[in-house]
Amino acid sequence: YGVGFDTKYFHDMRASLDDVSWRALFINEPIERESLLFPEDELMYYNGVLPEGGLVRKYAFCDVAWGGGDSLSMPIAYEYEDGSVYIVDVVFNKGDKTITRPIVVGRIKHHMPHQVVFEANNGGDEYCDAVDSKLRSAGVRINLSHRKAPSNQSKVSRIIQAAPDIKKFYFLDKKHRNPEYAAFMKEVTSFVQIGKNKHDDAPDSLAGLSCIAGNRSGRVEIFQRPF
């Protein structure tokens, strides 16, 4: 309307504000800042350039969803010799299985992780088997497994427990995120410890990923038989 509030103005404002301020001032979605578990300024970021050497393993965790408002969330991690973990890519999609399965299969074929774990709750084991079948038919063999989330612990408690490890991950900075990655990070950084979360698929998948990251192999040493 010629008064300066055009699309570029709002894009500039969104780029200059943190997500909490942007949502409170312009989207009418206020968040209690003190209860945020993953404030933007407490996470670590990188510019899309990975270390040149020392890659130890690649892995992913998939929190399966079947549509209906929930998102299938699958962060993909590269881990290096110094223990640093980079979240290089994510699948974050609200579609049903006919939409998400080809995406998950394609992303696994692209990154070729050493291990992918699917959360088995709510039919995740079936989803895992279908993905495995698609990969095998394409001649790709990947270590896929599924496991149930503990029934004696709430999802929020699991995420809070995993928070210190999640904060050690390196995430892509804002300049290098695609829309899918940006939506994933928006859900992570808006997750609250106290109060109600509209969605928690992204932080929950990171909690699952942290279990894989913490399950490192022991040292193997060759020695002579004592007898």
Side-chain angles (χ1 to χ4, degrees):
Y1 295 98
V3 292
F5 296 102
D6 56 6
T7 301
K8 182 179 183 304
Y9 169 83
F10 288 105
H11 283 172
D12 291 342
M13 290 301 299
R14 184 172 60 184
S16 64
L17 294 171
D18 63 88
D19 190 56
V20 176
S21 299
W22 162 256
R23 293 174 68 176
L25 293 172
F26 293 95
I27 310 298
N28 197 26
E29 294 180 356
I31 299 173
E32 188 66 37
R33 190 182 295 269
E34 287 72 19
S35 68
L36 289 173
L37 186 57
F38 303 107
E40 286 187 78
D41 58 1
E42 291 186 14
L43 298 179
M44 300 193 298
Y45 305 98
Y46 77 108
N47 65 352
V49 180
L50 293 167
E52 291 187 359
L55 177 64
V56 175
R57 56 179 180 152
K58 299 182 281 188
Y59 45 85
F61 182 88
C62 186
D63 184 4
V64 176
W66 303 92
D70 291 329
S71 299
L72 179 141
S73 184
M74 187 177 78
I76 301 167
Y78 285 24
E79 182 178 321
Y80 289 80
E81 288 178 340
D82 60 1
S84 58
V85 177
Y86 293 79
I87 309 303
V88 299
D89 200 358
V90 299
V91 177
F92 194 65
N93 194 295
K94 293 183 182 295
D96 62 28
K97 64 182 180 182
T98 63
I99 294 173
T100 61
R101 274 181 185 163
I103 297 173
V104 168
V105 169
R107 215 66 63 88
I108 290 175
K109 289 168 69 175
H110 175 74
H111 290 281
M112 294 296 290
H114 301 95
Q115 180 184 13
V116 183
V117 177
F118 291 77
E119 187 171 290
N121 302 53
N122 193 29
D125 50 348
E126 173 197 330
Y127 195 101
C128 174
D129 292 342
V131 170
D132 188 34
S133 177
K134 288 288 187 183
L135 289 169
R136 286 176 181 271
S137 66
V140 177
R141 293 182 177 271
I142 299 288
N143 181 352
L144 303 185
S145 61
H146 49 79
R147 67 175 182 222
K148 285 189 176 292
S151 58
N152 61 345
Q153 187 180 31
S154 72
K155 186 182 290 190
V156 173
S157 297
R158 288 202 311 270
I159 296 170
I160 293 174
Q161 183 177 339
D165 294 322
I166 293 172
K167 289 181 180 180
K168 294 177 183 177
F169 295 160
Y170 285 90
F171 299 93
L172 281 169
D173 61 29
K174 288 185 176 180
K175 293 181 180 178
H176 297 87
R177 297 172 189 168
N178 60 27
E180 191 175 14
Y181 202 118
F184 175 89
M185 291 304 298
K186 179 180 178 181
E187 193 168 290
V188 171
T189 56
S190 62
F191 180 84
V192 292
Q193 308 175 64
I194 302 170
K196 189 174 182 180
N197 292 286
K198 188 179 295 184
H199 297 288
D200 52 18
D201 305 304
D204 190 36
S205 64
L206 288 174
L209 189 77
S210 72
C211 294
I212 308 175
N215 186 21
R216 296 183 176 88
S217 301
R219 181 182 174 188
V220 177
E221 184 177 351
I222 300 174
F223 61 92
Q224 285 190 334
R225 292 175 58 180
F227 52 87

